[in-house]
Amino acid sequence: MLNIAHRQHLVQLLKKHNLWAKKDFGQNYLVDENILLDIVEGANITSDDTVLEIGPGPGALTQKLCSKADSVTALELDRETIPVLTDTDSCGSFENLTVHQQDALLYTPEWKDYKVVANIPYYITGKILRYYIGEVENKPKSLTMLMQKEVVDKIVTSKNESALSLFCKAFGDVSIIRMVPPEAFHPAPKVTSAVFHIDIFPQPKIQNISIEEYSDILDKLFIAPRKQIHNNITQGLGLDTQKAKELL
């Protein structure tokens, strides 16, 4: 088995399968041993855990998860990457690994108690968070994801709230595990990344409103961030100004 956390080993494995990172899939492979270990530790993965990994790629993080967790189910959208992931030089020898060629936004988790770990294209991180926090019936205990640092900063701090940050904070405790520089990836992205973590509350903070309604209201409130809130409510929800002010 190769240690895919090492750039040389990753390139060797990719060459074996005549495969390279694809820009259209937003593929940037993490090749830093310490960061991978920090992700597993930050996600608090134990030998009792069921892990859903989204975007395993060639398997650098998958190797660490399989070595620590009871079972790992990996969802990989790119069909051509799966033979690399299941190669015995990568993760093919792990008996506790199940791999699906699957869109994570169409997957229905079958477990009642599991943790999500993801290294995915940054343009879909918001959709992944909303789907697994708010939409799936069996919600995870936690999510640990590599994300763009700028987005993580907005979610975790209270200085510049967004619809996504308020959505996350209604459903769990949010934190930053660590920063990740561009050179930790192959190929290197143009932005600094961060490892984001959220522990999901047993019950969300919102009451007497559905998750779909809450998400819709947040989106409408941030249609025009520089406008007064009651103006966004009147435009987004189709209410008159007086009714909007009464609601506020």
Side-chain angles (χ1 to χ4, degrees):
M1 181 186 297
L2 298 173
N3 185 351
I4 313 303
H6 294 169
R7 194 183 305 267
Q8 181 180 356
H9 289 178
L10 170 64
V11 172
Q12 178 183 336
L13 182 63
L14 292 175
K15 282 184 177 180
K16 176 180 177 181
H17 290 268
N18 194 28
L19 193 67
W20 305 102
K22 301 175 183 176
K23 287 186 178 181
D24 55 340
F25 275 89
Q27 292 173 338
N28 299 93
Y29 303 135
L30 194 53
V31 285
D32 187 299
E33 181 87 13
N34 291 329
I35 294 174
L36 289 164
L37 293 174
D38 284 348
I39 292 173
V40 175
E41 181 179 353
N44 193 28
I45 304 301
T46 72
S47 58
D48 295 324
D49 284 326
T50 296
V51 175
L52 176 64
E53 184 188 9
I54 303 174
L61 181 55
T62 314
Q63 288 181 338
K64 310 302 182 191
L65 292 171
C66 287
S67 297
K68 195 79 171 178
D70 178 60
S71 66
V72 177
T73 295
L75 306 181
E76 175 56 58
L77 184 60
D78 183 14
R79 190 185 306 274
E80 294 182 354
T81 300
I82 291 179
V84 185
L85 177 65
T86 56
D87 191 312
T88 52
D89 280 337
S90 179
C91 300
S93 60
F94 285 108
E95 295 182 356
N96 61 340
L97 174 65
T98 301
V99 177
H100 297 298
Q101 196 268 317
Q102 173 80 60
D103 185 339
L105 293 172
L106 299 176
Y107 185 73
T108 303
E110 60 186 26
W111 319 280
K112 295 286 186 182
D113 203 14
Y114 66 102
K115 297 175 180 177
V116 172
V117 180
N119 178 13
I120 53 180
Y122 293 160
Y123 65 87
I124 63 167
T125 50
K127 292 181 180 179
I128 292 291
L129 281 170
R130 290 194 183 214
Y131 181 72
Y132 284 92
I133 293 174
E135 296 183 30
V136 296
E137 182 177 354
N138 294 330
K139 294 176 176 51
K141 290 195 295 185
S142 67
L143 290 93
T144 307
M145 302 171 59
L146 268 159
M147 298 173 64
Q148 189 172 337
K149 177 184 178 297
E150 182 181 355
V151 176
V152 175
D153 284 341
K154 288 182 178 180
I155 294 176
V156 175
T157 67
S158 301
K159 295 180 181 179
N160 190 15
E161 298 284 12
S162 65
L164 181 59
S165 71
L166 293 175
F167 184 85
C168 290
K169 289 172 182 176
F171 291 91
D173 284 320
V174 298
S175 61
I176 298 175
I177 293 174
R178 63 163 298 158
M179 299 301 158
V180 183
E183 56 268 25
F185 293 91
H186 177 83
K190 296 180 180 180
V191 298
T192 299
S193 305
V195 182
F196 169 75
H197 181 80
I198 176 169
D199 285 313
I200 306 300
F201 297 139
Q203 293 294 330
K205 289 183 178 179
I206 58 172
Q207 300 293 328
N208 303 319
I209 186 174
S210 71
I211 294 172
E212 292 77 12
E213 289 174 317
Y214 179 66
S215 179
D216 186 48
I217 289 173
L218 286 179
D219 288 338
K220 288 180 169 59
L221 287 177
F222 283 88
I223 289 174
R226 295 184 181 275
K227 286 189 176 182
Q228 292 185 9
I229 291 176
H230 76 269
N231 286 331
N232 282 354
I233 291 179
T234 59
Q235 295 173 18
L237 301 180
L239 302 175
D240 60 47
T241 301
Q242 184 59 37
K243 181 62 176 176
K245 289 182 177 180
E246 288 175 4
L247 285 174
L248 287 172

